Amino acid sequence: MEVKRWELMPHVYLTYLPARKFKTGVLSAQFITPLAKETASYNALLPAVLHRGTMRCPDMEQLAAAMDRLYGAQISPTIRKRGETQCLGFVASFIDDRFVSRNEPLLEPAAELLGELLLDPVTRGGRFLQEYVEGEKANLADAIRSIRNDKRDWADLRLLQEMCAGEPYGISRFGDEAGLAKINNQKLYAHSQRMMSSSRLELFYCGSAECHRVEEALLTAFSSLTRGPQTEPEPPRRFAAPSQPRLVTEEMDVTQGKLSIGFRCDTDDEPAMILTNLMFGGSSNSKLFLNVREKLSLCYYASSTYVRSKGILTVSSGIETADYDRAEAEILRQLDEIRQGLWEDWELTAARESLLSALQALGDSQGALENYYLGLAATGRRETPEEMAALLRQVTPERIRAAAQSVQLDTIYFLKGKEA
């Protein structure tokens, strides 16, 4: 796959992912904006409100009919967090023109509808419809509360809030209820106009259409996009771990304790750190899974995640409160074993092969490809899956030990039951 990315219009970029193996085409339009406490709830709410209708199709019924005329096309609102940015917009999926019996082009009308949703939403008197905004505010409030109801997600969020207090990365992609409560239809419309004119727009296409045709369709669809002074997200700042790790303990009505641990990674060797994470807790062959969970039965679940744009490694685990000390010590001991190079050859081989397989499998899913290249665009990276695979093949055991030795404990968050 020969991937191309170029500036289509001022601060509007198109990533072209040619593929003839799929029966559908995918178009994605994503605004890249800095993640900030003041605007996070506005940005999280906006795609859902825009999805309620356009001036041509001012309600869900007419919008659904327009998509039905495109042979059941689907356009979904998205709000994602990549590094310290929010990525908001829509992803459209429609039948590839090769499989339409009457040889009817679908790319152009799908692009047109995508552009209308973003640039010509249904409004009244220079603001969004109040009933649409209030309805979607209630839905977003439910989504925010649902995180608290899922204690695993809540513990992981609370870890980041404590560990990254004062940093954009500590903010949820949904914002918070306090910020959401301040939004009304007029404020949201004014914010949408400022955000769209000042934010970079990333467009993605995956399908069989020729490059020039995709370009022309999107130039037409987004011709009314106004461009003003740009607010480009700053590269994520990396911070050193404190000399004394932070310990935060909270109580809720839970039967299973949630132990989340955050580390700072002081290394620029990201390929080595990616494999370090997989060996530590990022796969079913990892030390946390095989030893802490399976062999010692100290955790109901235990896994780790590495955020390379931020240089953060986190552990998520569910434990019995009585096992807190043992579980914490064993999790830290497994990381120390990687620092010391105490692993079998098969552990590194399994980690590398699992990631190489995952990178190769990206080409089997248009959604996965769009998500991968959005992550690159949002965080300023450019490695194709093939280039990343080559980098991973070059990682030596010595580099993994060095990467693991750069990992320093930052914060421990423990959520326990009230009776514990």
Side-chain angles (χ1 to χ4, degrees), residues 247-268:
L247 174 60
V248 180
T249 301
E250 294 180 340
E251 295 183 352
M252 290 181 72
D253 187 16
V254 296
T255 56
Q256 183 187 113
K258 308 297 179 186
L259 175 60
S260 297
I261 304 176
F263 305 85
R264 303 278 186 173
C265 310
D266 186 20
T267 178
D268 293 325

Side-chain angles (χ1 to χ4, degrees), residues 333 335-343 401 404-405:
R333 193 178 76 82
L335 179 58
D336 203 46
E337 286 197 353
I338 300 179
R339 291 187 180 115
Q340 299 175 48
L342 300 178
W343 70 75
R401 287 198 298 272
Q405 288 163 11

Side-chain angles (χ1 to χ4, degrees), residues 5-41:
R5 179 179 182 269
W6 69 97
E7 191 168 15
L8 192 65
M9 298 185 288
H11 307 290
V12 178
Y13 294 84
L14 171 60
T15 299
Y16 175 72
L17 306 165
R20 296 186 63 83
K21 65 191 296 183
F22 304 108
K23 294 183 178 181
T24 56
V26 166
L27 274 175
S28 173
Q30 305 292 323
F31 285 100
I32 313 297
T33 186
L35 183 60
K37 183 177 178 62
E38 298 77 18
T39 57
S41 297

Side-chain angles (χ1 to χ4, degrees), residues 95-152:
I95 296 175
D96 192 282
D97 292 352
R98 294 173 298 152
F99 299 95
V100 179
S101 59
R102 291 183 293 181
N103 200 28
E104 181 181 351
L106 296 184
L107 169 64
E108 288 78 6
E112 180 184 11
L113 186 55
L114 185 64
E116 285 182 28
L117 282 166
L118 286 167
L119 305 179
D120 194 25
V122 58
T123 57
R124 185 185 301 132
R127 61 190 70 183
F128 292 126
L129 273 59
Q130 182 176 353
E131 57 268 33
Y132 287 0
V133 172
E134 293 304 318
E136 295 306 331
K137 280 179 66 176
N139 292 337
L140 181 56
D142 287 342
I144 293 172
R145 294 187 197 109
S146 72
I147 299 175
R148 188 181 183 92
N149 294 333
D150 187 317
K151 299 306 185 286
R152 177 175 183 172

Side-chain angles (χ1 to χ4, degrees), residues 62-104:
Q62 293 185 60
L63 190 60
M67 289 190 282
D68 284 344
R69 288 192 291 271
L70 299 179
Y71 298 90
Q74 297 291 323
I75 302 182
S76 303
T78 58
I79 177 71
R80 287 173 277 189
K81 173 180 171 180
R82 293 292 180 271
E84 292 183 336
T85 70
Q86 266 180 303
C87 310
L88 60 147
F90 292 95
V91 176
S93 177
F94 48 92
I95 296 175
D96 192 282
D97 292 352
R98 294 173 298 152
F99 299 95
V100 179
S101 59
R102 291 183 293 181
N103 200 28
E104 181 181 351

Side-chain angles (χ1 to χ4, degrees), residues 338 341 343 345 348 352 394-403:
I338 300 179
W343 70 75
D345 291 344
L348 174 54
R352 198 190 321 258
Q394 297 168 8
V395 175
T396 62
E398 291 75 22
R399 285 172 60 187
I400 289 177
R401 287 198 298 272

